[in-house]
Amino acid sequence: MTAVLEARDIVIKKGGRRILSVDHLAVEPGEVLAIIGPNGAGKSTLLTVLACLDLPTSGAVFFHGRRVTRANALAVRRRLAVVFQEPLLLDTTVLENAAIGLKLRGRRREAEAKARAWLARFGVGHLAAQQALTLSGGEAQRVSLARAFALEPEVLLLDEPFASVDVIARAGLIQEFKSILSSTGTTAVLVTHDFREVSALATRVAVLFDGTVQAEGPPEAIAAHPRWGALADPRTASGAGSGGCGWH
Amino acid sequence: MDLVVQGLVKAFRLLLSGDPEVLEITLLTLRVSGLATLISLFLGVPLGLYLAVARFRGRELVVGAVNTGMGLPPTVVGLWVSILLWRNGPLGMLGLMYTPTAIVIAQAVIALPVVTGLTMAAVQQLSPKLRLQVLALGASPLQFWWIILREVRFGILAAVMAGLGSVISEVGASMAVGGNVRGYTRVLTTAIVLEVSKGNFDMALALGFVLMVLTYSITYALTIVQQRRRRW
């Protein structure tokens, strides 16, 4: 089966320093691939490249087997959706925020109906007429998720999407998100350093450390791994990048 | 104090009687300063957007020049535009010296760095991640800039107010390149200077009052739009 999204021999250098070096990483149709690793491992950089928002210094991303270039990056981006850690809503109404992606694709007729449907699905339909910048953090992130799903993307890329939501609301939102993911069968890439999100959502995990993929496998296998299991432990996961765990 | 009262009374009389000369001067002021602000917007907004996001060698020098330009003395601008437009100057063949067009050019030069600098500052207030989010939404380069422009619209309104304020109130450049020719290049500020020099303080106060009302009315209208969506 051809991977929906594939990274081959990706190297990213910034200021002469190599910050990412991924030989191979593929996202198969229908799967939820979690990319985990400590702070500074290069997770967000990798997601930015997979989302075709940045071209790698060398290597390439392939979408349905076709190399993504500067020339076709926009067309590929229009078949993906990205949710960042911050909701990053525009200074307009909630409805307009949820509909903007479809409008940018020239699908103006269906945009508002789809946006309303997805806002309702994420429990923020009643806020449609409200100005987006007056929302609470949790509400704003729900709108951000609705905006992404309204695009019906072939791959949904998420960069720590629940980190800005408070702990009480987080568990509920993750459950809702899980149910929507499975009912739509959306292929997703989830960047996180919270293994609880991985256990709840992911079908496969890639461990990123020092800019390279160190391991891949089912969440249970990674959690049980003698070396990477520490990432599944909330007491050690966030500090794992300090090098204090003796991984290298 | 009597002088001020006399000036205000005269201003009301001038306004109510629809004095043709005052009306002409006021309309020319509006036309010249409005056009200059519009030109500065057309040039300054794209330049401000570009300077906010671009990375090139010497960018700081350009940004420094723009910021310095925000306080450019109108007399100096008038001097340089005069040198350019003077009969023997590089643009002398255009025959623009002592015309309303010359005042528009000089005022556009004064407003340009104000509009550029404030647009740049407004864009730099946005989260840098918004750039990625807008691209991730599938925006083409044109759509990207349109969205960013929409996000900074209130900052640009502030730039319009500051730009217009800086040109409608200046006198040095208008005097230097316009010459304060009665019925042709006389604007409110140059008329005020003339009346003061003649000792007609009541008339100068009246014209000053007209200028203030004019400036306040325009700025107030823009302020209403700007403050409609205040978040603080």
Side-chain angles (χ1 to χ4, degrees):
Chain A
M1 194 181 344
T2 313
V4 190
L5 207 54
E6 199 176 356
R8 288 186 210 159
D9 303 317
I10 296 279
V11 172
I12 293 204
K13 286 182 182 172
K14 282 198 178 147
R17 197 170 67 91
R18 181 182 287 228
I19 56 168
L20 195 72
S21 177
V22 174
D23 296 338
H24 186 257
L25 186 69
V27 185
E28 304 296 339
E31 78 167 340
V32 179
L33 170 69
I35 300 171
I36 61 164
N39 294 333
K43 306 186 295 289
S44 296
T45 307
L46 177 58
L47 191 95
T48 309
V49 172
L50 288 173
C52 308
L53 294 169
D54 208 356
L55 287 176
T57 312
S58 65
V61 170
F62 292 78
F63 185 69
H64 287 294
R66 207 170 145 216
R67 189 188 180 106
V68 178
T69 62
R70 206 174 284 278
N72 66 8
L74 174 62
V76 174
R77 277 205 299 271
R78 287 185 170 180
R79 293 167 72 176
L80 311 173
V82 186
V83 176
F84 291 98
Q85 183 174 342
E86 298 160 51
L88 298 168
L89 299 180
L90 302 176
D91 186 8
T92 179
T93 62
V94 165
L95 180 64
E96 181 62 19
N97 264 286
I100 185 100
L102 286 171
K103 287 185 178 175
L104 291 173
R105 286 158 174 75
R107 293 159 64 185
R108 299 191 83 83
R109 276 193 186 170
E110 54 183 317
E112 293 207 351
K114 281 220 160 93
R116 278 186 198 282
W118 279 105
L119 287 171
R121 191 115 186 232
F122 275 97
V124 282
H126 61 290
L127 301 172
Q130 201 165 313
Q131 287 299 317
L133 301 187
T134 62
L135 302 179
S136 70
E139 289 168 339
Q141 198 59 334
R142 282 171 183 271
V143 174
S144 176
L145 287 163
R147 174 172 67 180
F149 274 98
L151 298 172
E152 292 166 348
E154 288 178 53
V155 184
L156 175 62
L157 299 114
L158 307 115
D159 188 359
E160 312 226 18
F162 309 110
S164 63
V165 182
D166 65 71
V167 182
I168 298 164
R170 193 180 301 169
L173 182 57
I174 291 174
Q175 278 316 308
E176 282 174 59
F177 179 72
K178 183 183 181 180
S179 123
I180 290 170
L181 260 189
S182 60
S183 67
T184 55
T186 306
T187 305
V189 179
L190 169 71
V191 159
T192 182
H193 62 252
D194 187 340
F195 209 85
R196 284 166 298 188
E197 291 172 16
V198 175
S199 307
L201 301 167
T203 51
R204 194 161 61 90
V205 182
V207 178
L208 199 68
F209 190 83
D210 271 352
T212 61
V213 176
Q214 304 270 341
E216 281 183 67
E220 310 77 44
I222 297 296
H225 195 284
R227 194 170 177 195
W228 308 117
L231 287 168
D233 185 343
R235 289 167 301 175
T236 56
S238 59
S242 63
C245 297
W247 292 347
H248 284 269
Chain B
M1 195 61 201
D2 283 351
L3 194 66
V4 175
V5 175
Q6 276 172 30
L8 287 177
V9 171
K10 189 150 193 165
F12 275 114
R13 274 201 199 129
L14 283 173
L15 287 174
L16 294 175
S17 67
D19 182 279
E21 191 175 357
V22 172
L23 195 66
E24 188 190 293
I25 293 172
T26 307
L27 286 178
L28 182 67
T29 305
L30 268 179
R31 214 175 69 213
V32 164
S33 297
L35 198 56
T37 309
L38 213 60
I39 292 170
S40 69
L41 272 177
F42 274 114
L43 299 174
V45 169
L47 189 60
L49 291 175
Y50 176 73
L51 284 176
V53 299
R55 286 179 196 161
F56 58 90
R57 197 185 291 264
R59 180 184 169 275
E60 277 68 27
L61 283 174
V62 179
V63 172
V66 168
N67 288 337
T68 307
M70 289 171 87
L72 211 55
T75 320
V76 175
V77 174
L79 170 69
W80 280 99
V81 175
S82 295
I83 291 169
L84 288 173
L85 298 182
W86 198 250
R87 213 178 322 159
N88 297 326
L91 300 174
M93 69 290 190
L94 297 174
L96 293 175
M97 195 62 186
Y98 301 132
T99 65
T101 310
I103 308 179
V104 171
I105 294 171
Q107 290 195 348
V109 172
I110 294 167
L112 181 62
V114 176
V115 172
T116 305
L118 291 180
T119 302
M120 186 179 66
V123 175
Q124 287 179 330
Q125 296 279 316
L126 296 175
S127 164
K129 287 186 178 168
L130 191 67
R131 184 185 78 84
L132 289 179
Q133 180 65 80
V134 174
L135 289 175
L137 283 168
S140 67
L142 208 63
Q143 289 171 329
F144 172 83
W145 286 115
W146 174 245
I147 290 176
I148 296 299
L149 205 60
R150 228 176 49 174
E151 286 299 291
V152 297
R153 60 194 180 280
F154 297 114
I156 289 176
L157 261 180
V160 173
M161 286 189 265
L164 182 69
S166 68
V167 294
I168 209 166
S169 60
E170 71 81 24
V171 65
S174 297
M175 193 69 97
V177 302
N180 197 22
V181 182
R182 186 179 184 183
Y184 188 46
T185 58
R186 185 163 296 168
V187 290
L188 281 166
T189 50
T190 57
I192 292 168
V193 171
L194 181 73
E195 295 303 331
V196 170
S197 69
K198 289 196 300 193
N200 294 337
F201 290 107
D202 55 346
M203 184 63 175
L205 276 168
L207 290 170
F209 184 68
V210 172
L211 180 62
M212 293 302 291
V213 168
L214 193 69
T215 311
Y216 184 75
S217 306
I218 298 168
T219 311
Y220 179 71
L222 294 171
T223 305
I224 293 290
V225 179
Q226 188 197 37
Q227 296 295 308
R228 208 185 302 159
R229 295 268 313 285
R230 57 184 272 193
R231 280 182 247 150
W232 281 75

